[in-house]
Amino acid sequence: MRRLAVWAVTAMFALAVYLLLTLWSGAWGLWSLSELIAGVVMALIVGLVAGNLLWERGGWRMLMPHRWVLLLVFSAGPLLWAMARANVDVAWRVITGKIRPGIVRFDPALKTELARTILANAITLTPGTLTVDVHELSGAFYVHWINVTDERPTPEQVCGALPAWARRIAE
Amino acid sequence: MNIVIYILLAVGAVFNGLGALALIRFPDVYTRIHGATKCTTFGSIFSITAVVVHGFLRGGGEGGTLAVHALFALVFLLITNPTGSHALARGAYRGGIKPAQAVVDQLEKDRR
């Protein structure tokens, strides 16, 4: 029963996004008939594949609208700034060839899957740091770092304010 | 206004060029992924922003559609790129490729 509810809710979300993206696509009302059929079929498949992953361990938190606003603020502000600094830094390392690579471990103490996903994505998106693995149980991050300054770093040393923002958005 | 588009394209091309150079200069798969990430972040952000500016300047339905489509392309690129990079790095590590010139490999220590 729960599986069915999860499937239906996820499929409805996927369909809503699809309908927003294909607005004014046809002469038949707002959407053309073929778009509607394709949308329903794809939404059902997406619900089947992603349903269980999405709602497990605190995924429902993202139903609160202010978290989406926070996600937008984070992407346009701190993430973009971190990306800009890292880009210039790595560009300089490409030219000079000064690298000190290594895989370090740190524990950002994030509990929900979603917060870990957001942080891992943000870390990988900034050049110079790359998430290689995340320990499922303890939540420890293994990050390939192009300039290892400390072999046992704190999360702030590797990725600055990003863990705090991941916690704000999804926990 | 064309000068803005040219500047954006030039900056994007420089970062993309440096990313390509990184593939030659860096020693192993992990450091090369850092270089490739630089392409997909600043390289494509600046190139696609140039397309968006061009679309808005052209105006009308066609230009607006071009700008919005380009923005969507950027959003999806920024969501999918880290996923792919992480899958590559994790797959490489599980496949037994050790990071070259590494000063520390905590993952190796913890797996033992």
Side-chain angles (χ1 to χ4, degrees):
Chain A
M1 198 59 211
R2 187 175 176 275
R3 281 189 71 105
L4 201 66
V6 160
W7 182 21
V9 172
T10 317
M12 276 195 298
F13 263 102
L15 186 63
V17 172
Y18 184 87
L19 291 181
L20 271 177
L21 289 178
T22 55
L23 200 60
W24 293 298
S25 60
W28 191 77
L30 288 176
W31 294 278
S32 65
L33 188 59
S34 50
E35 288 282 6
L36 283 179
I37 295 172
V40 168
V41 171
M42 272 191 267
L44 286 178
I45 295 173
V46 168
L48 201 60
V49 174
N52 273 327
L53 289 172
L54 208 56
W55 303 103
E56 208 179 12
R57 276 202 256 169
W60 42 267
R61 283 163 207 261
M62 289 314 273
L63 291 176
M64 296 287 280
H66 76 274
R67 293 181 187 274
W68 289 92
V69 177
L70 277 176
L71 186 62
L72 274 182
V73 170
F74 166 64
S75 317
L79 182 59
L80 201 64
W81 173 236
M83 238 195 288
R85 271 192 322 184
N87 260 295
V88 175
D89 180 62
V90 174
W92 185 243
R93 284 180 202 287
V94 171
I95 297 167
T96 58
K98 274 184 202 157
I99 51 171
R100 212 177 126 77
I103 295 179
V104 293
R105 181 190 60 193
F106 63 87
D107 188 4
L110 298 172
K111 281 180 278 303
T112 62
E113 297 278 297
L114 200 65
R116 286 176 190 170
T117 311
I118 289 174
L119 180 60
N121 258 18
I123 286 175
T124 310
L125 203 50
T126 41
T129 49
L130 168 69
T131 317
V132 178
D133 215 339
V134 179
H135 198 271
E136 290 273 345
L137 296 174
S138 68
F141 274 55
Y142 293 90
V143 170
H144 187 273
W145 196 9
I146 205 166
N147 180 35
V148 178
T149 51
D150 188 344
E151 296 194 2
R152 289 181 177 279
T154 61
E156 283 70 28
Q157 276 176 304
V158 182
C159 45
L162 300 184
W165 273 94
R167 191 169 301 122
R168 216 166 291 161
I169 292 165
E171 283 201 353
Chain B
M1 276 311 269
N2 266 343
I3 191 79
V4 176
I5 298 176
Y6 290 142
I7 290 172
L8 286 171
L9 279 178
V11 174
V14 165
F15 274 104
N16 271 340
L18 282 171
L21 190 64
L23 292 186
I24 305 170
R25 279 184 66 92
F26 281 170
D28 70 333
V29 58
Y30 307 101
T31 41
R32 283 176 187 164
I33 289 176
H34 291 308
T37 311
K38 207 155 57 55
C39 279
T40 35
T41 53
F42 258 35
S44 42
I45 284 177
F46 277 104
S47 330
I48 291 177
T49 311
V51 177
V52 172
V53 172
H54 170 74
F56 276 127
L57 285 183
R58 198 163 152 205
E62 211 176 318
T65 310
L66 182 65
V68 172
H69 282 189
L71 263 183
F72 271 119
L74 180 61
V75 169
F76 287 120
L77 199 62
L78 290 183
I79 295 173
T80 51
N81 162 57
T83 318
S85 299
H86 165 67
L88 278 176
R90 190 159 185 260
Y93 200 92
R94 301 217 154 191
I97 299 173
K98 299 278 168 264
Q101 303 174 12
V103 290
V104 57
D105 187 350
Q106 198 68 47
L107 191 51
E108 170 77 37
K109 285 182 197 165
D110 284 4
R111 283 176 125 203
R112 248 188 256 138

